[in-house]
Amino acid sequence: MELGRRERKKQQTRQAISDVATTLFLERGFDAVTVAEVARAADVAVQTVFNHFPAKEDLFFDEPGWWTGPARAIREAPPKADPVDVLEAEYLKGTRERLEVGHLKTWKQFVRTIESSPALLARRRLTADELEKSLTEALDERSPDHLRNRLIAALYAAAQKVLEEQLMSALPDDASPDELENAQAALEQAIGQVFAVLRRGLA
């Protein structure tokens, strides 16, 4: 369904604010940048920023796919699909999209910005908890085995953490295009290994 002109304009404004905020946060650190500075740099009113992003942390974590995607993938998968296969495919898709849109190039800076901000660390922990909860709920809709479903969700969250740490170690600072491709290849190999361990543990 094609968006109307008004809705397209709202999305364009939201994206412009997000792009400006991300640039400022990565350059100066999350805690050093105010919402008012983001508004000035984006040439909008402060209230306009809050209309699109209820909290400052939402300006940084503005792509909910990494924590809403797993539950959505489970709900959209065929009834007999193996949940671990579905989650592996979803995670792999997300990493490839990150490479395609250029986010992998700034990934280390993005993570370091989180690690240097207590507010962002707290939001990341909260979001990780929400990921596990929403994923468990989606799995419960497919199977009555809540304990197993809870374990799958917890293991997926742990796997995600391990793989992001692996990417940080494999990705050079100021990586060239070839180095980005190599880091992606190494990550995909690690994804296969991690999810293979999950399958054995759940067998």
Side-chain angles (χ1 to χ4, degrees):
M1 182 178 178
E2 187 175 349
L3 297 175
R5 180 181 177 185
R6 183 175 181 181
E7 188 61 29
R8 288 200 305 273
K9 184 174 178 57
K10 285 175 62 178
Q11 289 195 0
Q12 289 168 357
T13 300
R14 186 185 191 282
Q15 188 62 53
I17 294 169
S18 173
D19 290 345
V20 166
T22 298
T23 298
L24 291 174
F25 293 149
L26 295 185
E27 287 178 350
R28 296 168 47 195
F30 180 79
D31 296 332
V33 178
T34 66
V35 174
E37 288 176 309
V38 172
R40 283 197 299 273
D43 195 24
V44 298
V46 170
Q47 186 56 49
T48 300
V49 176
F50 284 119
N51 288 344
H52 291 278
F53 303 93
K56 182 183 173 184
E57 290 80 4
D58 295 321
L59 281 163
F60 191 85
F61 293 114
D62 63 334
E63 296 182 1
W66 76 271
W67 66 271
T68 61
R72 183 180 65 252
I74 289 293
R75 288 191 170 98
E76 294 176 353
K80 294 185 178 181
D82 181 270
V84 177
D85 289 345
V86 173
L87 293 171
E88 180 178 10
E90 174 67 16
Y91 189 83
L92 186 59
K93 182 184 75 171
T95 66
R96 289 173 176 172
E97 289 174 350
R98 185 166 58 194
L99 176 65
E100 289 173 4
V101 300
H103 289 176
L104 191 58
K105 186 172 181 59
T106 57
W107 179 252
K108 295 191 80 166
Q109 194 176 2
F110 181 83
V111 172
R112 287 168 178 164
T113 302
I114 296 173
E115 292 174 343
S116 67
S117 169
L120 292 180
L121 285 171
R123 170 60 72 88
R124 184 172 65 175
R125 286 191 295 269
L126 178 61
T127 304
D129 289 343
E130 292 174 349
L131 182 155
E132 287 191 44
K133 180 181 177 181
S134 65
L135 181 52
T136 301
E137 290 172 350
L139 290 164
D140 282 345
E141 294 169 11
R142 297 168 61 94
S143 166
D145 192 345
H146 176 73
L147 185 61
R148 180 181 174 84
N149 295 336
R150 181 70 188 89
L151 180 59
I152 292 173
L155 288 173
Y156 177 81
Q160 187 179 65
K161 180 179 180 181
V162 168
L163 287 166
E164 299 302 346
E165 290 173 352
Q166 178 69 17
L167 177 59
M168 283 291 286
S169 66
L171 192 62
D173 291 323
D174 299 320
S176 67
D178 285 345
E179 288 173 328
L180 292 175
E181 292 283 354
N182 291 338
Q184 178 67 26
L187 176 62
E188 292 192 14
Q189 182 178 13
I191 290 170
Q193 294 172 340
V194 167
F195 278 89
V197 171
L198 260 62
R199 286 187 189 87
R200 289 197 296 272
L202 291 164

